[in-house]
Amino acid sequence: MPWSLYLALKQLFPTGKIVSFFAAMSVLGVALGVAVLLCVSSVMNGFGKEIRDKLVEVNGHLQISDGGIMEEPYALAEKIAQDGEVSGVAPIARGVVMLQYGNRPSFPGVLGVGEAAGQEVIPLSKYVFMGSLEELDDDSILLSTGLARAIGTTLGEEVDLFTPLMLDHLKRDEVLLPRTLKVAGLFETGWSAVDENTAVVTLRLMQELYGLDKGAHKLAVRLKHADSDMGAAEREAERFNMELLRPPQTAMSWMDGNREFLSIILLEKTVMVFVMLLILVVAAFSIMISLHTSVVRKTREIGLLGALGARSWQSAVVFCWQGFLIGIAGSLLGCVLALVILKFRNEIVGLVMDPVTMAKYYQFLSFPADYVVADFVKIILFAIVAATLAGLLPAWRAARIRPSETLRHE
Amino acid sequence: MSEHPIISARALAKTYTAAGREIPVLQGVDFDILAGTSVSIRGESGSGKTTLLYLLSALETPTGGELFWEGEPVNGKSQDWKAARRARWMGMVFQAFYLMPELSALENVLMARRIVGQVRAQDSQRAKELLERVGLKDRMKHVSAQLSGGECQRVAVARALMNRPKILLADEPTGNLDETTGEGVMTLLLELTRQEAAALILVTHNAAHAARTDQTLFLRKGGFGK
């Protein structure tokens, strides 16, 4: 071990003591900075991942449309399903209806999806917590929890559904009666944008309610390798447009369809991480001040090192080592601290915010977190580099100390 | 006792500049010390004793004259060369001990070896042996705050001798100690340098201590007069 490293270690962890006060405070400063950064980064990643997952699960990786109502969706679906990268295709229809239970109306978005193939693309069954998806038929409906709560209904009750098609009939002096549907199940995805106001019916029923005949609005496509590869959906959308589809048919990836929203999430994360980086800069600055004070305090010892035969740069390196060691120890402690905080994040957040409020403003019932190794590595490297750089100025000062001047003044 | 000078100075001079004024401290000092001998340097305060010591150890650069270490000219050599040579060849003891407060007595002594290279088992053995010889066998693991002034200076003496130097420079080594303790440290310093066959240059105000060395030089008006 180089003597400069040995001496740096001894100055941080002196003989007879576990750790020096200066070292403990500096390590703690870096650890807090690293922990906060890792927590913010992981939570923002978690939010992003949850939102991306929900977007894919509700829309599929790709959506194919022809700008209007697709007359022959099943024929195109069959053709798309032949592609090796596709794991499922389902015609879907979307719209807005009026739903009424007793005298309590609501205007939810309705998704009409085919039974078997539809489940492969939009896996609703995993979100149904009351009732069953198998019970969904042309005379029943699935409601999101928020919607059921809003109109005061529950499993097994009957609700009336009014469609925009009724207006067309009225214009022709015809009366189209509302459809009475039984609530076959309640679902909750954890994403309040969906959970607050969504209903699901069979595609056949949606075709009837919207007068689509055998048509659909879009094809939702699920890909085999797009969950782990963020760019896969965009690449496949491009390939579909070039090779499989004919204008006006177009394929759009879930990322294209939500580009603005995803950009905002990314921007939010970038801004948050940037702001939190300042904590580490402040920690590095306080390390620099402490090390500088240490240089002033140890001027004679630095002079003595020169008298013992140390080169001036070697005496300076002692202080760089100290910054580096503080960075390493602070980063490791910060990682541990961050993992503990993230493990108990929901309990901690629960102390200051109830889940309903969180769902209202942040779209989720629980606090998500996603541990991205690359983010951990970047933050730890930044902390170590910042702490090491903090030792440079004190080191420069130490290098300029002339032993003969410091040793003679007693 | 060798007849070859271990350190030679020829017309060594040092002038400081302060507030635009030149202050000559040493003017044309000629000096030789033979290997294994001891020399004490006495003089009034401000006569340039410490400056001379720092010039001889190359911690200061002379403004005139020449310095030789074992016949090799030192002037014009790089700071790194001087530092490396100082580490292996020279030991220094100061009035204020200058022990590293975060190190134990044993670690302080070994520090001199660390600066030269890796610490081997025989180095640890030598450090313990030196501490035993200066009477600190039971205080090896104590830090400087747990040692008395005399004990600290004895650790400093052991540290100065750790690398088996050919010459030991001591600047008022008893200046911070009471008479009895100072006498003990002085005896130790002379005995150990003799045992280790090292030369000793002692800067002191104390006439009794100076009388115990082979030769005493008086520094007056920037030069020697016996």
Side-chain angles (χ1 to χ4, degrees):
Chain A
M1 180 194 302
W3 68 263
S4 52
L5 174 58
Y6 169 82
L7 192 58
L9 277 167
K10 279 291 176 184
Q11 288 184 349
L12 296 176
F13 309 101
T15 297
K17 286 183 186 174
I18 296 170
V19 62
S20 73
F21 180 76
F22 150 70
M25 289 301 109
S26 301
V27 167
L28 200 60
V30 174
L32 287 174
V34 168
V36 168
L37 258 173
L38 289 176
C39 286
V40 167
S41 169
S42 298
V43 168
M44 294 306 288
N45 285 335
F47 272 122
K49 185 175 184 301
E50 286 285 317
I51 288 169
R52 285 195 298 273
D53 288 350
K54 296 292 188 293
L55 283 172
V56 169
E57 290 190 345
V58 175
N59 300 303
H61 291 116
L62 303 179
Q63 293 213 339
I64 296 170
S65 69
D66 61 7
I69 296 167
M70 299 175 99
E71 302 293 342
E72 298 287 341
Y74 288 101
L76 182 59
E78 205 170 311
K79 181 182 167 189
I80 299 291
Q82 304 294 319
D83 190 273
E85 282 298 313
V86 172
S87 65
V89 189
I92 57 168
R94 287 181 187 279
V96 176
V97 294
M98 186 177 103
L99 203 64
Q100 190 166 11
Y101 176 70
N103 59 354
R104 297 171 75 170
S106 185
F107 298 88
V110 181
L111 171 67
V113 62
E115 295 91 356
Q119 299 318 308
E120 285 175 22
V121 183
I122 300 172
L124 275 170
S125 55
K126 68 192 234 192
Y127 299 120
V128 175
F129 68 96
M130 196 182 276
S132 166
L133 187 66
E134 281 75 45
E135 289 174 28
L136 182 69
D137 57 24
D138 296 348
D139 293 314
S140 59
I141 189 168
L142 293 177
L143 302 181
S144 64
T145 46
L147 176 59
R149 199 168 43 241
I151 59 174
T153 190
T154 187
L155 185 69
E157 297 293 323
E158 288 188 336
V159 293
D160 291 326
L161 191 147
F162 302 77
T163 79
L165 206 59
M166 293 166 119
L167 296 172
D168 287 342
H169 281 262
L170 272 177
K171 286 175 193 166
R172 297 198 297 268
D173 289 332
E174 294 170 8
V175 175
L176 186 64
L177 293 174
R179 282 293 300 267
T180 300
L181 301 169
K182 187 181 172 187
V183 179
L186 299 180
F187 66 88
E188 187 170 274
T189 63
W191 188 24
S192 70
V194 172
D195 293 342
E196 285 304 305
N197 207 23
T198 306
V200 176
V201 295
T202 63
L203 181 62
R204 278 189 306 273
L205 179 57
M206 197 63 182
Q207 287 166 339
E208 187 187 318
L209 293 171
Y210 264 73
L212 301 176
D213 195 13
K214 296 286 183 190
H217 288 131
K218 288 176 179 175
L219 291 183
V221 181
R222 195 153 184 105
L223 300 169
K224 283 177 183 166
H225 306 110
D227 285 335
S228 53
D229 182 357
M230 285 280 286
E234 282 186 315
R235 287 197 302 276
E236 289 304 317
E238 202 172 322
R239 186 172 67 82
F240 276 36
N241 287 328
M242 300 283 285
E243 297 173 8
L244 293 175
L245 305 174
R246 284 175 309 185
Q249 295 168 339
T250 52
M252 186 183 271
S253 74
W254 65 272
M255 294 169 87
D256 274 328
N258 299 278
R259 190 161 294 283
E260 208 169 308
F261 184 50
L262 293 171
S263 299
I264 289 170
I265 293 171
L266 185 65
L267 182 69
E268 260 184 1
K269 181 192 165 187
T270 309
V271 170
M272 289 289 274
V273 168
F274 177 76
V275 170
M276 296 300 156
L277 271 180
L278 294 179
I279 294 178
L280 270 183
V281 173
V282 171
F285 199 75
S286 53
I287 291 171
M288 188 182 74
I289 292 168
S290 302
L291 282 176
H292 197 269
T293 310
S294 174
V295 169
V296 173
R297 206 160 38 87
K298 291 180 182 294
T299 301
R300 286 172 189 171
E301 289 163 35
I302 295 165
L304 173 82
L305 288 172
L308 288 178
R311 277 80 150 174
S312 53
W313 65 265
Q314 288 176 314
S315 303
V317 167
V318 172
F319 295 91
C320 286
W321 276 122
Q322 286 190 48
F324 176 73
L325 292 168
I326 288 167
I328 297 252
S331 297
L332 291 177
L333 184 64
C335 276
V336 173
L337 205 60
L339 290 173
V340 171
I341 292 171
L342 287 169
K343 182 169 173 55
F344 298 104
R345 63 188 182 276
N346 285 312
E347 288 79 357
I348 295 167
V349 171
L351 296 174
V352 291
M353 188 190 288
D354 70 280
V356 177
T357 311
M358 190 162 77
K360 187 175 171 187
Y361 294 109
Y362 296 103
Q363 314 280 309
F364 296 103
L365 284 167
S366 64
F367 225 57
D370 185 29
Y371 307 93
V372 177
V373 176
D375 280 0
F376 271 60
V377 171
K378 276 185 218 164
I379 289 167
I380 287 170
L381 280 180
F382 181 85
I384 293 171
V385 169
T388 309
L389 287 178
L392 279 185
L393 184 67
W396 177 74
R397 170 104 189 220
R400 284 165 50 91
I401 288 174
R402 292 178 59 194
S404 58
E405 282 179 8
T406 58
L407 295 173
R408 73 163 63 233
H409 301 299
E410 290 163 1
Chain B
M1 199 182 294
S2 166
E3 292 303 314
H4 303 292
I6 193 152
I7 289 185
S8 299
R10 293 289 169 267
L12 210 56
K14 182 69 182 178
T15 300
Y16 290 106
T17 305
R21 273 186 61 210
E22 291 200 335
I23 306 163
V25 179
L26 295 173
Q27 300 167 48
V29 173
D30 289 316
F31 177 81
D32 287 301
I33 179 164
L34 301 179
T37 61
S38 57
V39 175
S40 55
I41 300 171
R42 296 186 62 203
E44 292 170 358
S45 295
S47 59
K49 304 184 296 294
T50 298
T51 300
L52 177 61
L53 210 64
Y54 290 163
L55 286 176
L56 296 177
S57 60
L59 286 172
E60 287 269 16
T61 308
T63 47
E66 284 183 290
L67 176 69
F68 302 90
W69 284 349
E70 289 186 313
E72 194 169 357
V74 176
N75 291 11
K77 290 284 197 303
S78 71
Q79 290 300 327
D80 279 1
W81 182 89
K82 292 173 192 170
R85 188 76 190 268
R86 196 161 47 233
R88 291 175 186 279
W89 184 76
M90 186 181 278
M92 294 187 82
V93 179
F94 302 92
Q95 182 177 340
F97 331 133
Y98 297 132
L99 298 187
M100 305 267 173
E102 48 283 297
L103 305 183
S104 68
L106 181 63
E107 289 164 342
N108 263 294
V109 176
L110 277 170
M111 195 66 212
R113 174 63 207 167
R114 286 186 192 281
I115 289 174
V116 173
Q118 288 297 314
V119 172
R120 298 154 300 177
Q122 59 262 43
D123 298 320
S124 300
Q125 194 52 43
R126 173 162 170 81
K128 285 176 187 166
E129 203 178 287
L130 280 167
L131 284 171
E132 212 173 313
R133 282 160 73 186
V134 298
L136 293 174
K137 187 183 174 187
D138 301 325
R139 313 298 299 272
M140 289 186 193
K141 291 188 175 171
H142 290 202
V143 293
S144 57
Q146 296 165 325
L147 300 173
S148 69
E151 287 169 335
C152 283
Q153 193 60 300
R154 282 190 272 163
V155 174
V157 170
R159 179 179 61 192
L161 291 168
M162 178 64 207
N163 292 333
R164 300 181 197 278
K166 289 196 174 172
I167 185 159
L168 200 137
L169 279 63
D171 186 9
E172 298 278 11
T174 59
N176 278 3
L177 305 174
D178 63 72
E179 202 174 325
T180 315
T181 311
E183 195 61 37
V185 167
M186 199 57 223
T187 302
L188 204 61
L189 197 59
L190 288 165
E191 269 179 25
L192 285 176
T193 46
R194 216 160 280 152
Q195 286 167 14
E196 298 276 328
L200 171 68
I201 301 176
L202 173 72
V203 166
T204 182
H205 280 295
N206 190 309
H209 292 166
R212 297 174 68 181
T213 58
D214 299 331
Q215 189 184 4
T216 301
L217 300 172
F218 289 89
L219 204 52
R220 283 193 197 97
K221 296 179 181 173
F224 283 130
K226 290 191 182 174

